[in-house]
Amino acid sequence: MKTDSFRGRDFITLLDWSKEEIETILDVALDLKRRRAIGEHHDHILRAKSLFMVFYNSSLRTRNSFEAGMTQLGGHAHYLEPGQIYTPALPGREVAYTTERVSDVARVLARMGDGIAIRCYGDPVDWEYGGANELMRNFAYWADIPVLNMEDDKYHPFQALADLLTVKEKFGTFKGVKFVMSWAYSPSTHKPRAVPQSAIIAASMLGCDTVLARPEEMVLDSEVIQACENYAATNGASFEVTDDFKAAAEDAHVLYPKAWAPVQLFKPPIGEDDSELAQEIFDSYKNWKATPEYLARAHPSAIYMHCLPADRGWEVTDEVIDGKQSVVFDEAENRLHVQKAVMSLTMA
Ligand code: CP
């Protein structure tokens, strides 16, 4: 397909992109991966270009894959800690000489570089669902260079691209692949929904038979669920939501169990004021754990996926995550390749 239209675009959620465009990004990622494997350099693509990375939260994979990716493409990634610049803030969250309005930060950076990447969820927006996505969108409104979502409170699109690339490498197709995104137990009740939401969007958009397994309290965004149902119908595939952890795993090709927190646990009547109740609800699902017995329910060719970092011993046993069916390090590596593809297509 013609890729001229990719130039200058923001990458905030897969929902803003068509299936054909996402397939093209995966093709470019595979091409860059293969070229690197045979020692071919491609540092002309973004030579002398700058990516500004604003991290409100910690990161291992995202930071290093973007930095390495920019180096390999010939450019440079700037690491910006909100506390060390004037923290970019929306109206209503401004503090004199401590924050700087997002509209000003975005226009300053856009005068100097070629892309702005942002990670923001949780505490910086007081766990107000959608607050971080609004900040991301506001950056994109004011900056006339691409804004890349390194994870907000709704979406983690680059993780989803890396997950898709991994499925493509393992199975060669999405059609007929049973992709199970499942909640799994963690003692931490503060985890965003970005990964599971982006994973089910990605899987259903590309045509997998997608299953979302979660306890009844751990619901995901209804708009995301609606989008997945629409993609499944368009692709002639299935999309199912269940609260049966073990049954969902039957004959699955992809098992992706990880923890997340539903919005309700941070809002009245449950809310921060009753963190003990939130913990109690979480602790009642300790048996939602990726064990060898759980994996044995799946198809013999099944893969175990996790975006990492994993809560070992809670979400998953060492035997599973370190076992032969685990592809977690392929997913981590593929972050590099998909991000290089998106940066090449949008920032070159
Ligand atoms: N999966 C992921 O985004 O990892 P980091 O939090 O380490 O960036």
Side-chain angles (χ1 to χ4, degrees):
M1 73 178 299
K2 244 172 100 69
T3 55
D4 299 9
S5 63
F6 288 49
R7 302 268 180 273
R9 295 235 328 249
D10 305 313
F11 202 81
I12 295 178
T13 166
L14 270 60
L15 295 170
D16 295 339
W17 293 72
S18 71
K19 178 182 178 184
E20 196 184 4
E21 288 170 335
I22 297 299
E23 286 171 339
T24 301
I25 290 169
L26 295 180
D27 287 345
V28 172
L30 263 184
D31 188 47
L32 290 170
K33 183 173 184 176
R34 286 175 184 144
R35 283 167 189 265
R36 181 167 160 75
I38 57 170
E40 207 178 282
H41 293 290
H42 33 260
D43 52 1
H44 60 286
I45 298 177
L46 294 181
R47 184 163 296 156
K49 297 206 177 233
S50 290
L51 174 73
F52 301 108
M53 305 187 304
V54 186
F55 277 97
Y56 288 81
N57 313 87
S58 51
S59 166
L60 172 70
R61 283 141 289 271
T62 304
R63 175 178 176 177
N64 290 294
S65 52
F66 269 105
E67 284 196 15
M70 278 303 286
T71 303
Q72 290 167 24
L73 293 169
H76 178 61
H78 304 228
Y79 178 72
L80 304 177
E81 262 184 83
Q84 299 299 315
I85 51 176
Y86 306 98
T87 307
L90 292 177
R93 289 186 182 274
E94 290 170 303
V95 179
Y97 208 38
T98 298
T99 66
E100 185 166 0
R101 192 167 286 191
V102 167
S103 58
D104 297 344
V105 178
R107 285 178 288 183
V108 167
L109 295 178
R111 294 284 185 104
M112 298 175 183
D114 307 278
I116 302 173
I118 302 157
R119 164 167 287 196
C120 182
Y121 57 81
D123 288 332
V125 287
D126 299 328
W127 287 95
E128 186 187 305
Y129 182 65
N133 185 257
E134 186 190 347
L135 180 129
M136 192 83 56
R137 294 273 180 203
N138 201 255
F139 258 103
Y141 177 83
W142 290 105
D144 57 3
I145 55 176
V147 168
L148 311 178
N149 181 357
M150 299 195 293
E151 186 173 7
D152 65 20
D153 47 8
K154 295 178 104 173
Y155 308 113
H156 196 351
F158 290 104
Q159 183 63 52
L161 281 182
D163 297 339
L164 283 176
L165 186 60
T166 308
V167 172
K168 188 180 165 92
E169 289 177 319
K170 300 299 172 193
F171 296 105
T173 181
F174 297 105
K175 195 168 175 52
V177 170
K178 181 178 173 185
F179 184 107
V180 180
M181 181 78 235
S182 176
W183 190 84
Y185 173 70
S186 163
S188 165
T189 58
H190 286 76
K191 287 196 178 191
R193 308 195 291 181
V195 168
Q197 294 194 159
S198 288
I200 59 174
I201 289 169
S204 55
M205 175 192 271
L206 271 289
C208 294
D209 291 319
T210 309
V211 179
L212 171 66
R214 85 298 176 265
E216 59 181 353
E217 294 92 344
M218 310 298 175
V219 292
L220 295 183
D221 190 322
S222 57
E223 285 179 21
V224 170
I225 300 298
Q226 183 64 58
C228 293
E229 286 170 353
N230 294 346
Y231 285 133
T234 305
N235 286 320
S238 58
F239 178 76
E240 184 197 338
V241 181
T242 174
D243 60 5
D244 193 329
F245 178 63
K246 289 179 181 166
E250 296 295 336
D251 295 322
H253 298 97
V254 177
L255 291 173
Y256 199 152
K258 85 168 292 296
W260 67 80
V263 170
Q264 294 93 309
L265 293 189
F266 302 106
K267 296 284 174 196
I270 297 174
E272 285 292 355
D273 292 344
D274 203 344
S275 56
E276 272 178 31
L277 180 54
Q279 196 67 56
E280 201 177 294
I281 292 170
F282 266 60
D283 290 351
S284 68
Y285 294 109
K286 281 185 179 170
N287 59 336
W288 287 57
K289 181 176 187 171
T291 60
E293 296 72 39
Y294 169 72
L295 217 60
R297 291 175 174 267
H299 191 274
S301 67
I303 55 176
Y304 164 79
M305 299 184 84
H306 196 291
C307 57
L308 302 180
D311 287 330
R312 284 174 178 254
W314 291 290
E315 290 178 305
V316 59
T317 64
D318 287 350
E319 212 173 345
V320 168
I321 196 167
D322 294 327
K324 282 190 189 139
Q325 287 166 276
S326 173
V327 297
V328 297
F329 300 111
D330 294 312
E331 291 172 84
E333 180 193 334
N334 282 339
R335 291 292 303 276
L336 172 72
H337 306 299
V338 298
Q339 288 158 200
K340 283 170 67 182
V342 172
M343 290 192 290
S344 298
L345 289 162
T346 61
M347 289 166 55

